[in-house]
Amino acid sequence: MLIFELNKLNKMTITDKNILETYSNLFEGLSFSNKIELIERLTKSLKASKSKQSSFYKSFGAFASEKSAEEIVSDIKSNRKFKNTEIKF
């Protein structure tokens, strides 16, 4: 996993590298405890983004039906209700 992440770092754009360098320079002035806090928060955000992404992909195929796609579309179209009301200005 670490090797994969390092390979991704090698494929960063120049802009990404400049952004990381800028943040790195900002972090140099932080105390040890603040750096630890920052690491913990970054770790939590990585875990949260993985779980959000995972739940997003798990939602695919969540709709289960014995009907074909054409039947479902037909049902939806046949159950539409439109109102013909005149809008007066």
Side-chain angles (χ1 to χ4, degrees):
M1 180 78 168
L2 181 60
I3 294 172
F4 176 73
E5 296 298 323
L6 290 175
N7 286 336
K8 285 173 71 176
L9 288 175
N10 292 333
K11 296 177 184 178
M12 284 192 302
T13 66
I14 293 172
T15 304
D16 291 336
K17 289 179 182 179
N18 286 334
I19 290 170
L20 286 176
E21 185 63 31
T22 301
Y23 276 112
S24 178
N25 290 337
L26 288 172
F27 300 149
E28 287 177 9
L30 293 176
S31 68
F32 178 78
S33 61
N34 287 341
K35 288 179 183 178
I36 295 297
E37 178 68 25
L38 180 62
I39 290 169
E40 289 174 0
R41 289 183 185 196
L42 286 171
T43 303
K44 285 179 186 176
S45 73
L46 287 172
K47 289 178 182 177
S49 67
K50 283 183 182 178
S51 67
K52 285 181 186 177
Q53 190 178 43
S54 176
S55 63
F56 173 75
Y57 287 115
K58 285 180 183 177
S59 68
F60 285 95
F63 180 78
S65 176
E66 297 295 320
K67 295 181 182 180
S68 68
E70 292 80 15
E71 290 173 316
I72 294 170
V73 169
S74 177
D75 285 348
I76 291 170
K77 287 183 178 180
S78 68
N79 288 312
R80 289 180 180 168
K81 306 245 187 298
F82 296 99
K83 290 184 179 180
N84 291 330
T85 57
E86 187 177 324
I87 300 174
K88 296 180 183 180
F89 293 97

